[in-house]
Amino acid sequence: WSSDVCSSDLRDEQARAALEAVKALSPDGRAKPFAKAYLTRVPGTGGPASPFDLVTAAKRKMPGVHPTFTFQVAMWGDFDSNTLTQEQLEAKADAHCRSLRGRGFDAFVHSDPDKRMTIVTIGVFDSSAYDPRSTLFSAPVEKLFKQFPTMLVNGDELLIPPPKGSPAGTAPTRQTCVLIEVPK
């Protein structure tokens, strides 16, 4: 198949057309062996990684340690509005990461082009970051929860509306930041 049909966006019209052509292939005129073919991204085929790429940093800081964790403080996403490109999302997340680094935090970014989302995190931790038995976080993670009490989405605090049936005037709650596993 032609290598000029290569896109970083799985919704690309050329990629979709190529997929339909592959699905329609019928070597013997009857069977369609590729009828269930689908698009996927091969790891490492995206554009250049941010100099603050989370996965690269985790592998470098904790080689051979699995799982590793990080503290998510922000995310940028298009949320199917088709108003922001992946490049714009990554640029905004990268700027936030640089701002955090300028304040002395060990910040990183991780992009997921399939979800059209880029997250910003702080730190890389081993399994001692959270104890599932006691449900307690390590001291460095607790400190981050105090410094970053609210998750940012597209630069704004994420507020969760009160549940249905709440008394009138009930204020929304802030979504807290989260400790997440570093993607592989």
Side-chain angles (χ1 to χ4, degrees), residues 6 12-14 16 20 27 44 46 51 57 73 76 80 91 99 132 135 150 154 159 182:
C6 183
D12 180 89
E13 288 303 317
Q14 277 188 299
R16 290 261 172 230
E20 293 309 314
V73 296
W76 272 262
D80 291 327
S99 169
T135 68
T150 308
N154 292 351
L159 300 176
V182 172

Side-chain angles (χ1 to χ4, degrees), residues 1-163:
W1 198 257
S2 170
S3 63
D4 10 327
V5 181
C6 183
S7 172
S8 63
D9 187 348
L10 298 179
R11 293 176 279 198
D12 180 89
E13 288 303 317
Q14 277 188 299
R16 290 261 172 230
L19 173 64
E20 293 309 314
V22 168
K23 285 181 171 184
L25 289 175
S26 177
D28 64 4
R30 293 186 318 257
K32 293 185 179 178
F34 306 110
K36 293 185 179 184
Y38 58 91
L39 294 174
T40 187
R41 185 178 328 285
V42 177
T45 60
S50 164
F52 308 119
D53 180 66
L54 172 63
V55 175
T56 303
K59 288 178 182 176
R60 186 179 62 246
K61 288 177 175 273
M62 296 192 171
V65 175
H66 299 287
T68 51
F69 298 91
T70 188
F71 189 75
Q72 183 179 336
V73 296
M75 72 172 69
W76 272 262
D78 179 62
F79 307 106
D80 291 327
S81 70
N82 294 318
T83 57
L84 296 170
T85 66
Q86 184 64 31
E87 292 76 23
Q88 290 171 315
L89 298 173
E90 291 173 3
K92 290 174 182 288
D94 203 57
H96 188 66
C97 178
R98 289 178 191 278
S99 169
L100 290 169
R101 284 184 167 264
R103 294 171 37 205
F105 294 99
D106 199 15
F108 305 100
V109 296
H110 177 70
S111 293
D112 186 334
D114 293 330
K115 293 180 181 174
R116 294 177 57 100
M117 192 168 295
T118 300
I119 64 171
V120 177
T121 70
I122 296 176
V124 175
F125 308 96
D126 63 16
S127 62
S128 67
Y130 175 73
D131 180 3
R133 287 185 193 177
S134 68
T135 68
L136 296 176
F137 294 97
S138 67
V141 174
E142 281 292 338
K143 184 176 179 183
L144 288 172
F145 273 111
K146 287 184 175 102
Q147 292 173 303
F148 298 91
T150 308
M151 177 75 68
L152 298 180
V153 175
N154 292 351
D156 295 321
E157 289 186 333
L158 178 56
L159 300 176
I160 302 169

